[in-house]
């Protein structure tokens, strides 16, 4: 909860029952501080409230899915989705929008969300893993772009990087290279790419230390 801005703690707690699958609770809390950072670096007009609410809700759909579906969604060694991961990713987004509709109808915020804000939130949830599809429909709102990039920064955090090396059975130095290779195509904003590169630099220091310690074990 210390990572969650005070103005959103009650809302986060209301959504928390939907965030326990796939370490989503840790994912959302860890990445929430990136919202303000990327908003401040944005050269476009964005809605920080809509971005924050959408991000808290974006992965809630995993709570309605089976362990097999969740396992298939993790079957990648970098950032590009495998064939088996595509369907679970699409399904969790659709289920997440349904949960968001129920939550936003029952949890009232002050001031209330506008119709424009709820529309942004639903779009961000549906398209956070495939923003190019929304862009092809006539435009990708700047606020939706930031939800996508805040979400994608999770792969580069200390918490997720080391968790993924274990659950995906990838050596740390190989996983770091995979993230570097896929980075440019994974983000939709320049500030997202810059932040990801700074996180890569942090992970590189950790991997070098890991390699040094591993080499010293007889």
């Amino acid at each position: 909860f210390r990572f969650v801005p005070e103005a959103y703690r009650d809302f986060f707690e209301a959504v928390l029952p939907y965030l326990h699958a796939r370490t989503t609770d840790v994912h959302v809390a860890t990445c929430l501080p990136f919202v303000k950072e990327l908003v401040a670096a944005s050269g476009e007009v964005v809605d920080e409230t809509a971005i924050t609410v959408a991000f808290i809700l974006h992965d809630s759909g995993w709570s309605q899915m089976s362990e097999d579906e969740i396992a298939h969604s993790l079957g990648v060694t970098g950032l590009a989705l495998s064939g088996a991961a595509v369907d679970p990713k699409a399904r969790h987004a659709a289920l997440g929008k349904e949960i968001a509709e129920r939550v936003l109808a029952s949890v009232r915020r002050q001031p209330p969300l506008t119709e424009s804000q709820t529309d942004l939130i639903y779009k961000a949830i549906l398209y956070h893993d495939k923003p190019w599809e929304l862009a092809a429909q006539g435009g990708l709102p700047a606020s939706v772009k930031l939800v996508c990039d805040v979400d994608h920064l999770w792969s580069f955090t200390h918490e997720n990087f080391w968790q993924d090396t274990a659950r995906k059975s990838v050596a740390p130095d190989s996983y770091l290279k995979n993230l570097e290779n896929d980075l440019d195509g994974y983000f939709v904003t320049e500030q997202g790419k810059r932040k990801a590169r700074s996180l890569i630099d942090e992970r590189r220091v950790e991997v070098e230390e890991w390699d040094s310690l591993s080499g010293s074990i007889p």
Side-chain angles (χ1 to χ4, degrees):
F1 277 91
R2 74 181 186 275
F3 292 108
V4 181
E6 188 172 353
Y8 294 94
R9 285 180 186 169
D10 287 346
F11 183 73
F12 178 80
E13 191 165 12
V15 180
L16 196 55
Y18 299 104
L19 302 183
H20 291 308
R22 208 175 179 269
T23 63
T24 299
D25 46 2
V26 178
H27 161 42
V28 170
T30 301
C31 291
L32 268 173
F34 296 143
V35 171
K36 191 167 287 293
E37 185 174 347
L38 295 194
V39 166
S42 177
E44 301 178 87
V45 176
V46 295
D47 188 326
E48 186 172 337
T49 296
I51 293 167
T52 305
V53 171
F55 186 69
I56 291 172
L57 285 161
H58 80 285
D59 269 349
S60 58
W62 290 117
S63 66
Q64 310 302 300
M65 298 179 67
S66 70
E67 289 185 7
D68 281 348
E69 288 175 306
I70 291 172
H72 286 148
S73 76
L74 296 169
V76 293
T77 56
L79 298 172
L81 294 181
S82 66
V86 171
D87 288 345
K89 285 280 193 178
R91 184 163 137 73
H92 98 280
L95 290 170
K97 179 178 179 290
E98 293 175 8
I99 291 171
E101 290 170 346
R102 296 201 300 271
V103 169
L104 294 183
S106 60
V107 180
R108 301 297 180 183
R109 283 187 48 79
Q110 292 298 329
L113 295 169
T114 66
E115 184 176 346
S116 175
Q117 286 176 312
T118 55
D119 181 60
L120 271 177
I121 290 164
Y122 297 150
K123 283 180 178 176
I125 293 169
L126 273 176
Y127 294 100
H128 69 271
D129 280 329
K130 48 184 181 181
W132 58 90
E133 288 192 8
L134 184 56
Q137 294 176 27
L140 182 59
S143 296
V144 176
K145 291 180 185 178
L146 291 192
V147 175
C148 296
D149 280 3
V150 170
D151 179 32
H152 291 168
L153 286 170
W154 172 238
S155 297
F156 299 80
T157 62
H158 169 85
E159 292 79 4
N160 187 72
F161 179 87
W162 290 100
Q163 172 182 247
D164 268 1
T165 62
R167 68 183 180 183
K168 296 181 180 181
S169 298
V170 185
D173 55 347
S174 295
Y175 196 47
L176 186 67
K177 289 174 185 174
N178 292 342
L179 294 183
E180 289 183 282
N181 291 339
D182 293 344
L183 189 154
D184 281 329
Y186 195 48
F187 290 88
V188 289
T189 69
E190 288 305 314
Q191 64 265 38
K193 293 177 185 178
R194 287 195 299 271
K195 182 61 179 179
R197 291 188 185 104
S198 73
L199 292 172
I200 280 279
D201 290 340
E202 293 175 11
R203 302 293 78 77
R204 183 177 292 108
V205 172
E206 294 171 358
V207 169
E208 289 172 354
E209 183 176 350
W210 168 270
D211 289 341
S212 175
L213 290 171
S214 299
S216 67
I217 297 175

